[in-house]
């Protein structure tokens, strides 16, 4: 339970509304990614897609504590983070399709989704690369005397790359307002977290580098919400960086085409049993939210994302000139011959 | 001779070398699951996890550990997964591996192979599509090879493993599933010896790696008698073969997937001019990518790559000049 | 005009820019103590530790944090201490900084400067002497400059700080203590505009950075009427000036400290030939380092560098060809 | 007190001999570096020299537990490590002078001293770069079934670079026989350890990554000796990697020409008071070693190194062909024109 919510007892009404918003967001993320994976599998959308289905509580639970002026950096599995920060879902879907009007004009694709207008500073195709960027963003905001924080999402795989150490040490040294979020979904590509990570894991490493950390069940939306509330409050109070270690599970393969044969069916089934969306819905029902309202939220999210996909299918490809634009102002490239 | 994909050809070559020499081993992410292109499939089962080592996502340590292991007498094959990730291990490759023998006065050798699957691959966008061979040719100490056929993928890998210098293999992601005839018992390739992929008398077209099939197809359709030279290795490179051909055709075109500006094509052009004198040639051109990152959308990606149409047009242009 | 060292000229230029624009700041190791060449001396006292940030030895984070700070609207000056250490931050420079604007469709810009003190410096040996400008010219998204005079060290730094693209400054370690006349109020330099360092009609000699004074001295003693062009920036570079001069002299020599093979000299040669046609020139040569690491001992270091004697000899050779 | 020595009481005679050998080694290191710094300051030796004067107990205390077949990797401040591992002092001095017969033929210099014949795999000009190399060396030795371990020396500055994290995690995962030695001399160049390193430091970081660690007073030769004995024994027993965090102080500046004005004179004086050599000599005197013998050890070391310096002064420069040799076999460079 976070500092904002009394431990036990009926939540205040606006609190329930907040959790309903969280449920809606989680449904939207899942519906978006279901469409995205289908689009990729059918060959409609080019490139690869990494889905975070099953992990929605982490993105939603963290980002609902952020303001529009706060920033996030993300990784290759970034649709949920982007949507949770308020990125335009239609522009994102167009981007996945490589169409004009895409969030990055069709030049980024799934792994490079960004929406700077809502503080989403970019997904990243390089594991761990968002960590130093988040640190610098926080440092820049501090220098500009802007009262904003940065959340930095990465996977369990990133904690074995150098930038994890360099970035956490950096943030601690300069007491930067950064919330590091390690989404530990049990795998880095085809390798289990435990096979690649020695010692007690992300939270222990963070503590040793001087970044206080919390570990939570990342499939429990209320737990993530509470932990994020606590950590964000500490950061906003000037306490320096924090790390949230959220244990979860990815339901899909590493990419949309990975059958994930490296894990037993029972393990996947057990994870699906702990569906963060279903459990949050149940909790809300327990708090008196109407079953019809809950069902409608899911249906609306699905309808929204279906519509975005339709729009993406119908959208034209980008203008070829885009290939040569936005490289640089000084010494910009000349377009290729025909 | 069996027809094999590049992935399968190199898989068999590596297996053969590992059977032959117990000091050969491989390290990289997810190798135990066969590697992401299947080029290690089944090897963990045959050789065990101590010789097919699945590593954490720690590129700097993958590269640096490969060096350490070479210094005590093993021959590691270092897998970078995607060439772009080598950017996370550049100090280890350039300031350590490439220099160790020299700066310690010959005491140690980095007998190792770095496999870098590079270039465009199905709309992978800016961070997964780079071609950085020009960088590595610029680095003293490194041998650099770039196979354009399945046979060379196997024979250059064998040669790299047996080589006493560190060898960087620029493997093309786009070629992993391409097939070619492969003589499995073929001897290791010889570095610095090009292959005349197509004979011709009007234009000399120099290329390597994934551009080889593109250029072959373009030469076919160009209507020009183009001599296509597949360099196979970029350092050392077969200056003699290129100079001989260019001296005959007096027209030189270099085609590569990498950005033209600062690409290895510049070195080829400069060297041929130095050897033949400017008067030795009538026309020279380089065809590579514009100085722009690789975009995601298929139409945009096509706009920045040397398609067979663009290559054919360039061949005709140089022939006509 | 005062005579200032390169270090002092850039120190003043940075201070002036920091006074002018409160979003300009610098980060790197030991900057609070003035930087290791004195190019930040006194700045921490004037601007405080929040704008002259002394960092841990974390090159990847220095580079990556610079990018993050640029994305929220500041203009960081990223100090790499020694250019070779950039190898520890290559992903951040090449796959992040250079590509961020493009791959996000123009949403963000990396308005930042990367200062890379490079090249040989008093027997620093293989890991502290590299010249990697050719790599960076090959990377779309980057502006690359390489001052050869104290005035340009200051004016290019100013231009870099005000530039809306990421700019890499190849500063030469060997020049930090060299002096030159510096007009402090000079406007920022214009990227892509070369300086004719010496006029001449027989040979065009193109060079940059620490080789500028070496070539000037060599031209003097060569007995040949050599036109010396100091490129000042390598991307963009002043093709027009070089082509115009070479069209006149019909003889082109490019001199640089970096390894010749795959160096930026190859690009200059290839481009001039493409522009003038092979028939447009009578003689072409590149003079750089052999494809060997830089050794420690003074006599060995001298054996691999373009000394004024070697440059003068090359000027005479090209003039005579 | 390490496992090999009873806590208190008279040490066994061979134990005293061992400690006398340690004292001799420490004297040799100091004498070597005094000559090296003087050679550099006078302009006789080119390039830079990083002296480890004041830190001798770490190199000696660790390496005396190593066998000839064991390996070490080192950093820019590596003279002591090399000498302690048995490298040829004369060849080292010649190397510093850039002369023929130098340890690396004059091509490496102080920052690249190596002596592969005694398992010294090289100093390194890049902070932290020796860490992955040490891990790989240990992995290679294991694959070759060679019963040897690797000691990896680095400074407090290296614990903020990515390879520290990547290497320690790696060694722990594969249970490699590596002794990581963090020589914490209070400074990384001109920056204090505490100004650059957040959290509880090297040992805490190592523990969090799954590498058991010990912290010792690195100016106390007996303490280093005992800790190294314990850690090396654990590693040889197959226990996987260990880290030794040795707190010490460098008496000289960062390089031979750094006046080190960034530290108060009293601080330096206090550190000199804790001279590891004097304290070991006193301990040996207390154990009955003759004062004359102790004085002779110092004098011999100084005479040895003076002689090496004479030899280096007199040695010829390397043959110019060396500049183009040992780059590579395939595609080797052609020598420059005249
Ligand atoms: C530096 C780097 N190395 C390797 C890869 C290839 N890669 C992409 S995603 C991935 C797994 C990442 O695992 P994790 O950080 O746990 O994130 P998850 O995919 O589980 O969300 C790998 C190895 C990469 N993109 N970047
Ligand atoms: C990657 C890298 N960054 C910076 C440097 C410059 N540098 C050389 S030594 C040094 C300080 C190292 O401190 P530490 O590791 O504590 O070793 P010490 O010098 O104290 O022995 C620095 C910053 C370098 N050599 N390598
Ligand atoms: Mg994961
Ligand atoms: Mg230190």
């Amino acid at each position: 339970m976070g500092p904002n919510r009394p431990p036990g007892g009926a939540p205040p009404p606006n609190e329930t509304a907040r959790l309903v918003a969280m449920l809606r967001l989680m449904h939207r993320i899942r519906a978006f990614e279901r469409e995205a994976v289908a689009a990729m599998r059918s060959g409609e959308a080019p490139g690869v897609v990494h889905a975070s289905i099953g992990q929605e509580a982490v993105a939603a639970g963290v980002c609902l504590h952020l303001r529009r002026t706060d920033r996030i950096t993300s990784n290759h599995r970034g649709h949920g983070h982007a949507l949770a920060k308020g990125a335009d879902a239609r522009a994102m879907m167009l981007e996945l399709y490589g169409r004009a009007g895409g969030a990055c004009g069709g030049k980024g694709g799934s792994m490079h989704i960004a929406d700077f207008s809502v503080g989403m500073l970019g997904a990243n195709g390089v594991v761990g690369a968002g960590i130093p960027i988040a640190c610098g963003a926080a440092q820049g905001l501090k220098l500009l005397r802007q009262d904003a924080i940065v959340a930095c999402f990465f996977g369990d795989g990133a904690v074995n790359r150098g930038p994890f150490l360099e970035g956490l040490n950096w943030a601690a040294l300069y007491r930067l307002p950064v919330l590091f979020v390690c989404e530990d979904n049990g795998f880095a590509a085809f390798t289990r977290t435990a096979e690649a990570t020695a010692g007690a894991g992300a939270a222990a490493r963070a503590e040793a580098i001087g970044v206080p950390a919390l570990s939570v069940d990342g499939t429990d939306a209320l737990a993530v919400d509470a932990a994020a509330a606590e950590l964000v409050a500490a950061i906003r109070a000037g306490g320096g960086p924090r790390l949230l270690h959220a244990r979860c599970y990815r339901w899909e393969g590493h990419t949309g085409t990975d059958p994930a044969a490296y894990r037993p069916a029972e393990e996947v089934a057990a994870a699906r049993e702990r569906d963060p969306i279903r459990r949050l819905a149940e909790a809300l029902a327990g708090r008196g939210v109407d079953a019809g309202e809950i069902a409608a939220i899911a249906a609306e999210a699905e309808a929204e994302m279906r519509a975005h996909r339709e729009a993406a299918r119908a959208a034209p490809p980008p203008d070829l000139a885009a290939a040569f634009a936005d490289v640089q102002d000084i010494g910009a490239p000349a377009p290729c011959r025909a | 001779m069996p027809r094999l994909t590049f992935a399968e050809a190199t898989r068999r070559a590596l297996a053969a070398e590992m059977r032959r020499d117990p000091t050969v081993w491989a390290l990289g992410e997810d190798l135990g699951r066969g590697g992401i292109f299947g080029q290690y499939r089944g090897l963990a089962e045959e050789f065990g996890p101590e010789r097919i080592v699945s590593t954490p996502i720690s590129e700097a340590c993958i590269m640096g550990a490969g060096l350490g292991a070479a210094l005590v007498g093993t021959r590691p094959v270092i897998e970078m997964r995607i060439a772009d990730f080598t950017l996370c291990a550049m100090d280890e490759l350039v300031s350590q591996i490439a220099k160790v023998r020299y700066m310690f006065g010959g005491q140690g050798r980095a007998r190792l192979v770095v496999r870098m699957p590079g270039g465009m691959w199905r709309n992978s966008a800016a961070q997964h599509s780079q071609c950085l061979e020009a960088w590595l040719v610029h680095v003293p100490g490194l041998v650099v090879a770039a196979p354009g056929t399945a046979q060379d993928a196997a024979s250059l890998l064998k040669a790299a493993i047996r080589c006493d210098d560190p060898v960087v293999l620029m493997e093309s992601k786009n070629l992993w599933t391409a097939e070619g005839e492969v003589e499995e018992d073929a001897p290791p390739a010889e570095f610095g010896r090009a292959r005349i992929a197509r004979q011709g008398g009007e234009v000399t077209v120099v290329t390597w790696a994934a551009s080889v099939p593109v250029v072959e197809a373009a030469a076919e359709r160009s209507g020009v008698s183009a001599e296509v030279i597949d360099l196979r290795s970029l350092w050392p490179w077969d200056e003699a073969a290129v100079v001989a051909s260019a001296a005959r055709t007096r027209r030189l075109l270099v085609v590569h997937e990498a950005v033209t500006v600062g690409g290895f094509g510049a070195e080829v052009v400069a060297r041929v001019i130095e050897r033949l004198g400017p008067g030795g040639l009538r026309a020279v051109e380089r065809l590579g990518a514009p100085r722009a990152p690789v975009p995601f959308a298929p139409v945009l990606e096509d706009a920045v790559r040397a398609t067979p149409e663009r290559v054919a047009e360039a061949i005709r242009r140089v022939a006509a000049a």
Side-chain angles (χ1 to χ4, degrees), chain A, chain B:
Chain A
M1 287 294 134
N4 299 330
R5 204 166 43 239
N14 62 344
E15 174 66 2
T16 299
R18 219 173 55 77
L19 294 176
V20 167
M22 186 170 177
L23 181 71
R24 176 171 296 116
L25 183 50
M26 289 166 65
H27 268 301
R28 290 182 69 238
I29 295 172
R30 184 166 299 179
F32 181 93
E33 293 203 311
R34 287 235 159 100
E35 297 296 338
V37 169
M40 185 214 174
R41 289 205 185 127
S42 71
E44 277 174 26
V48 295
V49 160
H50 302 87
S52 67
I53 295 172
Q55 310 176 199
E56 299 87 349
V58 185
V62 168
C63 290
L64 283 181
H65 293 280
L66 301 182
R67 303 171 185 157
R68 192 184 169 97
T69 49
D70 292 331
R71 310 294 208 276
I72 66 168
T73 68
S74 169
N75 63 354
H76 56 286
R77 202 174 298 285
H79 307 142
H81 312 142
L83 288 167
K85 191 65 178 63
D88 180 333
R90 176 158 299 195
M92 284 174 59
M93 189 65 79
L94 264 69
E95 185 63 29
L96 266 53
Y97 272 74
R99 300 296 162 96
C104 305
K107 284 152 80 165
S110 166
M111 258 194 297
H112 307 293
I113 289 282
D115 188 343
F116 280 48
S117 70
V118 296
M120 197 304 184
L121 300 185
N124 210 305
V126 180
V127 168
I131 298 174
I133 296 172
C135 293
Q139 204 161 11
L141 291 167
K142 214 172 156 183
L143 190 67
L144 297 172
R145 304 281 178 266
Q146 290 181 15
D147 180 23
I149 74 170
V150 181
C152 171
F153 290 92
F154 51 86
D156 48 282
V159 308
N160 298 321
R161 276 209 62 226
F164 175 81
L165 169 68
E166 297 192 8
L168 267 70
N169 182 57
W170 188 283
L173 270 185
Y174 302 111
R175 280 181 86 85
L176 299 176
V178 183
L179 176 60
F180 296 103
V181 183
C182 177
E183 237 169 320
D184 184 349
N185 59 8
F187 292 86
F190 317 145
T191 301
R192 282 186 192 271
T193 306
E195 288 169 353
T197 308
R205 290 182 184 188
E207 297 269 1
I209 307 171
V211 177
L214 280 182
S215 266
V216 291
D217 175 355
T219 64
D220 178 345
L222 297 178
V224 175
D225 179 57
E230 181 180 333
L231 297 174
V232 166
I235 295 167
R236 289 207 202 280
R242 294 291 187 275
L243 181 134
L244 176 64
H245 176 232
R247 293 179 310 274
C248 50
Y249 198 88
R250 71 163 147 72
W251 291 11
E252 300 290 321
H254 173 54
T255 64
T257 51
D258 167 23
Y262 43 85
R263 37 189 217 185
E266 314 83 68
E267 181 181 301
V268 181
R272 284 175 181 264
E273 273 307 299
R274 298 187 298 117
D275 181 358
I277 292 186
R278 210 207 54 244
R279 279 152 74 206
L280 177 57
E282 284 167 5
L284 285 172
R287 287 173 188 210
V289 179
D290 181 66
E293 186 185 341
I294 290 177
I297 288 172
E300 274 164 31
E302 284 159 23
E304 179 199 351
M305 300 307 166
R306 259 197 316 272
H308 293 331
R309 193 164 160 210
E310 294 289 320
R313 274 199 199 102
D319 193 278
L320 290 193
F324 309 96
D326 276 321
V327 178
Q328 56 194 109
D329 293 345
I330 309 278
C336 280
R337 300 192 216 220
Chain B
M1 280 196 295
R3 283 186 71 79
L4 303 178
T5 62
F6 277 59
E8 178 61 14
T10 59
R11 197 192 72 75
R12 293 190 191 184
L14 177 57
E17 291 302 305
M18 289 183 72
R19 281 178 212 124
R20 188 177 164 273
D21 180 350
T23 71
V24 176
W25 60 295
L27 69 164
E29 298 155 15
D30 291 316
L31 297 199
R33 304 243 160 238
I36 55 171
F37 302 103
Q39 73 276 49
Y40 297 88
R41 193 171 292 139
L43 300 188
E45 289 73 6
E46 178 173 353
F47 299 104
E50 230 192 355
R51 288 182 68 198
I52 296 292
V53 177
S54 297
T55 70
I57 309 174
S58 303
E59 281 76 10
C61 203
I62 296 171
M63 192 74 88
L67 172 56
L71 292 181
V72 300
T74 70
R75 289 182 179 266
V77 174
I78 298 168
E79 172 58 55
M80 278 287 112
R81 189 177 190 121
I82 302 280
D84 308 65
F85 306 153
T86 314
L87 292 166
C88 304
M90 271 296 161
D91 177 68
E92 291 71 19
L93 178 57
V94 172
S95 278
Q96 311 296 333
I97 287 175
K99 297 181 173 43
V100 68
R101 177 176 164 195
Y102 187 85
M103 70 189 176
F104 296 151
Q107 294 183 70
R109 272 168 180 271
R111 292 188 182 92
L112 55 82
V113 183
V114 184
R115 299 180 71 175
M116 296 176 42
M120 292 185 199
W121 180 54
R122 292 194 290 140
N123 308 105
S124 300
Q127 293 177 329
H128 285 70
S129 304
Q130 292 169 86
C131 280
L132 296 177
E133 68 269 21
W135 284 22
L136 303 174
V137 170
H138 192 46
V139 177
L142 299 180
V143 172
V144 184
T149 64
Q151 179 71 64
D152 281 343
S155 309
L156 284 166
L157 176 57
K158 278 191 197 174
I161 291 171
R162 296 189 200 178
C163 184
D164 288 335
D165 295 320
V167 179
V168 181
L169 278 183
M170 315 294 308
E171 300 178 295
S172 296
K173 296 201 285 294
N174 251 339
L175 295 180
W176 283 122
T177 55
E179 286 191 355
E181 303 216 322
V182 178
E183 188 190 327
E184 282 191 66
D185 301 331
E190 200 182 318
F191 294 112
R193 183 166 310 252
R195 180 179 69 92
I196 308 296
R198 185 180 192 275
Q199 295 195 321
E202 292 181 78
V203 189
T204 299
V205 190
V206 176
T207 193
W208 54 88
S211 299
V212 168
V214 176
V215 170
E216 283 178 321
E220 210 58 57
R221 79 167 71 165
S222 69
V224 170
S225 169
E227 179 138 304
V228 177
I229 302 184
D230 169 5
L231 280 188
R232 302 162 88 228
S233 78
L234 307 184
W235 192 267
W237 64 284
D238 198 341
E239 227 179 89
V242 174
V243 165
S245 174
R248 210 157 25 80
T249 64
R250 306 196 61 197
R251 290 185 160 82
L252 176 66
L253 172 67
V254 189
V255 178
H256 56 61
E257 188 180 331
V259 166
T260 304
V261 173
F264 183 62
E267 177 66 27
V268 173
V269 166
R271 197 70 198 123
V272 171
I273 292 281
E274 282 167 349
R275 288 283 302 273
L276 291 180
L281 294 179
R282 280 229 196 89
V284 182
E285 191 173 320
R286 293 174 293 159
L287 182 66
R291 198 169 174 282
V294 176
F296 168 71
V299 292
L300 299 182
E301 200 185 57
D302 284 343
V304 303
R305 76 163 133 205
T307 56
E309 297 71 42
R310 277 197 195 93
V311 177
E313 201 193 305
I315 291 175
R316 285 189 290 261
R317 197 164 49 231
V318 173

